[in-house]
Every structure is written in C-alpha cells, then in structure tokens.
Amino acid sequence: MTHELPRTAAEFAKWADAVEFHPNAPLPQDLPPNRPEDRPADGIPVKRSVKWSVETDERLKATAKAKGITQSELIRQYIEMGLAAENSGMVVDLADALRLLTTVAHRSVA
C-alpha cells in the first residue's frame, strides 16, 4: 500500500472512491486534545509561527507539563498576561528597572 498523495484529478478520484467512513471506529489515542479551553473565545483560531531557543522550548514544555496544560495554552496565557500588563500601564522596561535597582543599591551602601 502506498501513502503517496494523488497528483492528478484522476488519481484523486480513484483515491476518493476508495475512502470508507466508519462512524463507530475508535479514535486514535495519539490525537492532540480538543478541549474547549484550547480554542479562542471568539472561535476563530489564528495561527502564528515563532522561533526561540531549544532551552526556551524545553522550559516551556516543562512548565506546561507541571501546570497540566498544553504548551499552546501556556503561551496564550503568557501573551494574554503580557498584553493585560501593557494595557494597565504597569509594564516597566527591564533595563530601566535594573538601572533603578542599581541606583538604590548604591545609595543604601553609602
């Protein structure tokens, strides 16, 4: 049996004729979860592609596993928290915060 995709209309028609639907067939166990909380509130998912280091990916996987949620759900939560903080005006640039802490540390030593 070949697993190649049909390349022509005739090949597709032949493939489609061979497809059988079994409504009572069990679902494969390795499917990703399809839970309501994994879907956006507006019901229209938007897919984004991002790149980060292997270390960041490993931390993400471990954190999601520890929380018992999917990596996608964890990423959505972090993004939503970051956007909420941005909107509240409470976001401080890390470099500014470090400069302030350094200044306070030098004053307390003097």
Side-chain angles (χ1 to χ4, degrees):
M1 179 175 168
T2 180
H3 292 287
E4 289 184 32
L5 294 174
R7 297 184 183 271
T8 65
E11 287 176 359
F12 179 79
K14 183 178 176 182
W15 174 84
D17 286 340
V19 172
E20 296 180 7
F21 177 68
H22 300 277
N24 298 322
L27 291 174
Q29 296 300 311
D30 60 347
L31 290 176
N34 184 16
R35 302 175 302 187
E37 60 268 20
D38 290 335
R39 289 182 231 117
D42 61 7
I44 304 170
V46 176
K47 190 172 188 174
R48 294 282 181 243
S49 177
V50 296
K51 295 180 183 182
W52 46 60
S53 69
V54 172
E55 293 80 15
T56 298
D57 193 57
E58 289 170 353
R59 289 175 55 206
L60 178 67
K61 286 177 189 175
T63 303
K65 184 177 180 180
K67 291 178 175 279
I69 59 177
T70 66
Q71 293 175 52
S72 292
E73 188 172 357
L74 181 63
I75 292 166
R76 279 192 297 273
Q77 288 178 1
Y78 284 163
I79 290 171
E80 288 168 5
M81 285 189 298
L83 291 173
E86 284 281 346
N87 290 337
S88 72
M90 297 295 291
V91 175
V92 177
D93 182 66
L94 181 58
D96 291 340
L98 291 174
R99 275 192 292 278
L100 178 62
L101 289 173
T102 303
T103 303
V104 170
H106 286 299
R107 287 183 186 168
S108 63
V109 171

